[in-house]
Amino acid sequence: RKEVEQDPGPFNVPEGATVAFNCTYSNSASQSFFWYRQDCRKEPKLLMSVYSSGNEDGRFTAQLNRASQYISLLIRDSKLSDSATYLCVVYSGGSNYKLTFGKGTLLTVNP
Amino acid sequence: NAGVTQTPKFRILKIGQSMTLQCTQDMNHNYMYWYRQDPGMGLKLIYYSVGAGITDKGEVPNGYNVSRSTTEDFPLRLELAAPSQTSVYFCASSLPGGNQPQHFGDGTRLSIL
């Protein structure tokens, strides 16, 4: 099983749609979880951290299920500007603070 | 604030040539990282550093070397460029702590021909 596995995508949705991305991780001792966003030919940027109780930032909601080793990202009322690749990122412990990145899921929001 | 700055942005090398990818950050972060990203693949960690004078290998270190003489700078060296090293290279930095995000430079696109 890969360390971090994401929906392969791509996702094509109309503006205003709700879309959800899923991610699973293999190391049950993983401690921190993030969603990063990467625009085409750009660097990854932190979208949001994922907390155990779930968290929301505007139209974005992140959920964590430790028992199932599963993370999700929900985007409501999609905008054209949400088109990007969404990376699931996991920190599995250790003093080097290395992160493991999923391959990403490409989202295209169409007018 | 400049954040993480990488140079050059683009480079074409011939097989067997060497070069250094530069990375500097002005956020006083102790932790710095080098990744490569191939098309359709996740970021792979090449080397990382937890402070000046301390470096360690990541997942894919072969063919690369690093040094960390200052907190700000973390250059990546390719000694004998090979076509398999054609990739986009990202440098990142962070504060210590597993809940700290990594801040990325805007990347160096390298082609080896």
Side-chain angles (χ1 to χ4, degrees):
Chain A
R1 183 177 176 183
K2 292 180 183 175
E3 283 192 72
V4 177
E5 201 150 6
Q6 295 187 237
D7 284 336
F11 284 61
N12 284 280
V13 303
E15 267 188 294
T18 296
V19 60
F21 303 132
N22 300 316
C23 172
T24 57
Y25 59 95
S26 61
N27 186 343
S28 60
S30 295
Q31 299 180 17
S32 302
F33 310 90
F34 309 89
W35 284 101
Y36 278 67
R37 169 195 169 126
Q38 186 173 24
D39 293 307
C40 187
R41 302 177 72 83
K42 299 285 189 181
E43 74 274 22
K45 292 183 178 178
L46 179 70
L47 177 66
M48 58 197 302
S49 301
V50 185
Y51 303 118
S52 296
S53 54
N55 49 299
E56 189 173 302
D57 183 1
R59 298 181 292 108
F60 299 84
T61 300
Q63 297 271 335
L64 168 63
N65 183 323
R66 286 191 182 272
S68 302
Q69 294 178 212
Y70 168 92
I71 306 156
S72 66
L73 176 68
L74 183 77
I75 305 176
R76 292 181 300 278
D77 188 23
S78 299
K79 311 290 185 192
L80 296 177
S81 57
D82 293 334
S83 297
T85 296
Y86 290 83
L87 306 173
C88 176
V89 184
V90 174
Y91 165 63
S92 297
S95 59
N96 49 44
Y97 304 117
K98 290 190 294 183
L99 300 179
T100 302
F101 288 77
K103 291 184 180 181
T105 302
L106 176 62
L107 171 67
T108 301
V109 181
N110 301 303
Chain B
N1 271 348
V4 180
T5 302
Q6 290 184 237
T7 57
K9 293 199 184 325
F10 307 93
R11 184 74 183 267
I12 298 174
L13 282 183
K14 293 182 180 178
I15 295 171
Q17 285 186 319
S18 61
M19 77 163 292
T20 300
L21 281 65
Q22 302 291 347
C23 175
T24 188
Q25 53 91 9
D26 62 0
M27 296 176 283
N28 203 31
H29 287 169
N30 280 338
Y31 288 73
M32 295 187 74
Y33 310 84
W34 273 106
Y35 295 91
R36 60 177 287 173
Q37 186 176 35
D38 300 318
M41 303 297 289
L43 281 85
K44 299 294 184 186
L45 183 65
I46 304 171
Y47 270 95
Y48 66 97
S49 170
V50 301
I54 307 169
T55 62
D56 208 345
K57 296 177 180 179
E59 299 173 77
V60 290
N62 291 344
Y64 307 95
N65 277 301
V66 294
S67 59
R68 185 94 183 270
S69 56
T70 67
T71 299
E72 295 78 20
D73 300 307
F74 190 39
L76 177 72
R77 178 111 180 130
L78 282 71
E79 290 293 351
L80 287 170
S84 61
Q85 294 177 304
T86 294
S87 191
V88 181
Y89 292 84
F90 289 104
C91 178
S93 72
S94 74
L95 291 168
N99 62 346
Q100 296 295 325
Q102 291 184 7
H103 302 266
F104 286 79
D106 52 12
T108 295
R109 295 183 182 281
L110 181 62
S111 294
I112 317 293
L113 304 176

